[in-house]
């Protein structure tokens, strides 16, 4: 009986080890599968890629702490995989994927841009760590076991990934809003500039027309004045007093 129990226990351990090994193998296969050209193109152009690809480290599948040399090697390997010349049967999508990779690489070559990207990743990690502490604190307060799903390294990584993606998306939305506002302000300023120029043009044309017609107006006025005086002379008549007859004295 004891032997049977021992065999059952060993079998359970063996099954658990096999399951862990199987899970690890599947994870490796999944990781390696995206190294094919088609899988990389699909990954870079999947639905929602406009936000997924905001994180240059995720685009290049490289750690934020990677050296410049590692970054260069990773870019070379990935760019070759998705290059249109290597994907003649899907050149349009390959070209788009290549542009995504190239953009991420060039961004990380700029020290200031890379620092901003690293700061976003660190902020995502710090946020998740803070939330984990808050969860554990609440569980302790409730008298419950302080076990959370983020204790699993893979779950923690996924949580950081989601939060980081959210932060990148929020920054992109703010950038677009700021860009739209600036564009609107530039458009309004341009419209005001055009209106001011049109006003100046109208005033100049009015002044020009006024100057050109001034001599004509003066001549007309002089003519009017002259005719008026002539008419006044013709209409003016002097009444002569009647002659007074001397009364004859008787």
């Amino acid at each position: 009986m004891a032997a049977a129990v021992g065999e059952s226990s060993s079998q359970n351990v063996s099954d658990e080890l096999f399951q862990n090994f199987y899970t690890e193998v599947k994870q490796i296969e999944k990781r390696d599968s995206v190294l094919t050209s088609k899988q990389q193109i699909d990954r870079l152009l999947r639905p929602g890629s406009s936000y997924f690809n905001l994180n240059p480290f995720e685009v290049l599948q490289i750690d934020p702490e990677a050296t410049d040399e590692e970054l260069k090697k990773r870019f070379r390997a990935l760019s070759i995989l998705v290059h249109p010349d290597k994907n003649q049967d899907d050149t349009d999508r390959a070209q788009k994927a290549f542009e995504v990779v190239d953009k991420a690489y060039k961004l990380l070559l700029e020290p200031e841009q890379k620092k901003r990207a690293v700061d976003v990743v660190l902020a995502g990690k710090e946020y998740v760590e803070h939330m984990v502490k808050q969860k554990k604190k609440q569980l302790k307060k409730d008298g419950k076991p302080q076990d959370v799903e983020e204790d699993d390294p893979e779950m923690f990584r996924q949580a950081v990934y989601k939060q980081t993606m959210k932060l990148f998306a929020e920054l992109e939305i703010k950038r677009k809003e700021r860009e739209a506002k600036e564009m609107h302000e530039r458009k309004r300023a341009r419209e005001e500039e055009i209106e001011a120029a049109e006003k100046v043009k109208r005033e100049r044309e009015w002044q020009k027309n006024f100057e050109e017609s001034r001599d004509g107006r003066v001549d007309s006025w002089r003519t009017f004045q002259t005719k008026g005086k002539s008419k006044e002379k013709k209409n003016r008549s002097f009444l002569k007093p009647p002659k007074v007859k001397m009364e004859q004295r008787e």
Side-chain angles (χ1 to χ4, degrees):
M1 182 71 176
V5 173
E7 290 176 0
S8 177
S9 177
S10 298
Q11 183 63 39
N12 290 336
V13 171
S14 178
D15 290 343
E16 183 177 355
L17 289 173
F18 177 80
Q19 184 61 39
N20 291 338
F21 173 76
Y22 178 78
T23 301
E24 185 176 353
V25 168
K26 296 303 292 183
Q27 289 177 345
I28 293 174
E29 289 178 349
K30 182 179 179 181
R31 182 194 65 196
D32 290 345
S33 68
V34 299
L35 295 179
T36 65
S37 294
K38 183 180 184 307
Q39 290 289 338
Q40 284 289 8
I41 292 173
D42 290 342
R43 176 180 72 87
L44 294 168
L45 302 181
R46 66 192 184 280
S49 58
S50 58
Y51 285 103
F52 288 122
N53 295 339
L54 292 173
N55 185 344
F57 301 110
E58 286 296 330
V59 170
L60 298 175
Q61 294 179 313
I62 194 170
D63 192 276
E65 298 178 358
T67 64
D68 290 344
E69 185 61 28
E70 291 172 331
L71 174 63
K72 185 177 181 180
K73 289 180 179 179
R74 181 56 188 157
F75 166 70
R76 187 184 299 114
L78 188 55
S79 62
I80 291 174
L81 282 173
V82 300
H83 199 280
D85 291 346
K86 186 178 176 60
N87 298 274
Q88 293 292 330
D89 59 334
D90 198 6
T91 55
D92 290 341
R93 296 180 74 246
Q95 179 62 37
K96 292 179 181 179
F98 178 80
E99 290 173 358
V100 171
V101 172
D102 186 62
K103 180 180 179 181
Y105 176 63
K106 289 179 177 178
L107 186 148
L108 294 179
L109 286 180
E110 294 290 334
E112 187 62 28
Q113 295 288 346
K114 182 178 180 180
K115 182 179 181 302
R116 290 178 183 176
V118 171
D119 288 343
V120 174
V121 174
L122 291 177
K125 182 179 179 182
E126 290 174 357
Y127 178 83
V128 173
E129 290 174 343
H130 172 73
M131 292 305 298
V132 169
K133 288 181 180 179
Q134 291 298 108
K135 285 182 180 180
K136 289 180 176 291
K137 183 178 180 180
Q138 186 61 45
L139 289 171
K140 182 178 180 181
K141 183 178 179 180
D142 296 339
K144 298 179 180 178
Q146 300 175 43
D147 298 324
V148 295
E149 61 180 6
E150 289 84 3
D151 289 336
D152 182 344
E154 179 60 23
M155 295 301 295
F156 180 82
R157 188 193 67 78
Q158 291 182 16
V160 171
Y161 170 79
K162 291 178 181 178
Q163 183 59 31
T164 300
M165 184 180 69
K166 181 180 178 181
L167 292 176
F168 271 109
E170 290 175 351
L171 289 174
E172 178 66 6
I173 291 172
K174 290 181 180 179
R175 185 192 69 78
K176 288 184 177 180
E177 290 177 346
R178 183 171 60 253
E179 189 177 78
K181 182 179 179 181
E182 291 174 352
M183 184 180 296
H184 175 72
E185 291 176 350
R186 287 195 299 269
K187 181 180 179 182
R188 185 178 61 182
R190 180 57 181 165
E191 290 174 348
E192 291 177 352
E193 182 181 339
I194 293 174
E195 177 60 27
E198 289 292 333
K199 183 178 179 181
V200 171
K201 182 179 179 181
R202 289 194 299 270
E203 290 176 350
R204 287 178 178 174
E205 289 179 350
W206 184 89
Q207 187 65 28
K208 180 181 178 182
N209 294 333
F210 179 82
E211 294 291 339
E212 291 177 348
S213 63
R214 181 174 58 184
D215 293 340
R217 292 197 307 276
V218 171
D219 291 342
S220 296
W221 175 250
R222 287 174 178 171
T223 301
F224 172 76
Q225 288 287 79
T226 302
K227 289 181 178 180
K229 289 179 180 180
S230 299
K231 187 176 182 180
E232 184 180 346
K233 288 181 179 179
K234 291 180 180 179
N235 293 335
R236 185 182 300 170
S237 60
F238 297 96
L239 296 176
K240 295 181 180 181
K243 293 181 179 181
V244 177
K245 292 181 179 181
M246 297 299 292
E247 294 181 3
Q248 297 180 355
R249 294 182 182 181
E250 294 178 357

